[in-house]
């Protein structure tokens, strides 16, 4: 069982930066791949970025490439999403999720077993 708690969201002006954190409980957290998703009002939850359990691989959605960076510190049971150059269209609730997938990087919602409650990110123009 893994419990996830996101933090670091808030209100920021366009062009600004935020770093989201996903803190996990559970001694086996390092064996899970972790992803970030986001959901804007009236829209489907969409994939943002993910990192493999070994930190050997990462993948970022096209909307995040060049601006967002996912990383993890297994010793701290924490995964981060550094977001730079934020745009108003990045406004959403951001969720982290853990997946037991051992090969590759999970990109689909159904591949994730555990979800956090989300943290709100609002980017003003």
């Amino acid at each position: 069982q893994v419990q996830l708690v996101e933090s670091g969201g808030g209100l920021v002006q366009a062009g600004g930066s935020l770093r989201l954190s996903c803190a996990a409980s559970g001694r086996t957290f390092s064996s899970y791949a972790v992803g970030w998703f986001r959901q804007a009002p009236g829209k489907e939850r969409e994939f943002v970025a993910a990192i493999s359990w070994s930190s050997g691989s990462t993948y970022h959605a096209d909307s995040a490439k060049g601006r967002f960076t996912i990383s993890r510190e297994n010793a701290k049971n924490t995964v981060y999403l550094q977001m730079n150059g934020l745009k108003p269209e990045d406004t959403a609730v951001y969720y982290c999720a853990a997946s037991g997938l051992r090969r590759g990087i999970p990109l689909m919602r159904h591949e994730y077993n555990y979800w956090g409650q989300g943290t709100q990110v609002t980017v003003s123009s």
Side-chain angles (χ1 to χ4, degrees):
Q1 188 79 5
V2 176
Q3 292 183 326
L4 305 172
V5 178
E6 303 94 336
S7 62
L11 174 63
V12 64
Q13 289 188 330
S17 298
L18 285 173
R19 188 176 79 158
L20 305 184
S21 298
C22 174
S25 63
R27 292 177 295 176
T28 61
F29 176 67
S30 60
S31 65
Y32 287 84
V34 176
W36 285 97
F37 290 75
R38 67 186 182 186
Q39 188 166 18
K43 294 189 176 181
E44 295 281 326
R45 191 172 298 188
E46 65 175 4
F47 171 83
V48 176
I51 188 165
S52 65
W53 66 274
S54 65
S55 301
S57 300
T58 62
Y59 187 85
H60 297 77
D62 287 344
S63 60
K65 285 178 182 176
R67 299 188 301 129
F68 296 1
T69 303
I70 190 170
S71 62
R72 70 189 297 166
E73 285 189 73
N74 285 337
K76 295 184 177 181
N77 274 8
T78 302
V79 171
Y80 305 99
L81 185 67
Q82 178 67 45
M83 304 189 296
N84 300 325
L86 284 162
K87 305 174 182 179
E89 51 264 43
D90 294 319
T91 295
V93 177
Y94 283 70
Y95 299 89
C96 68
S99 168
L101 191 71
R102 300 290 287 182
R103 286 185 176 183
I105 297 179
L107 305 181
M108 309 299 289
R109 289 171 55 184
H110 70 266
E111 295 179 297
Y112 287 84
N113 309 100
Y114 304 101
W115 292 83
Q117 293 300 307
T119 186
Q120 176 71 45
V121 171
T122 303
V123 184
S124 63
S125 57

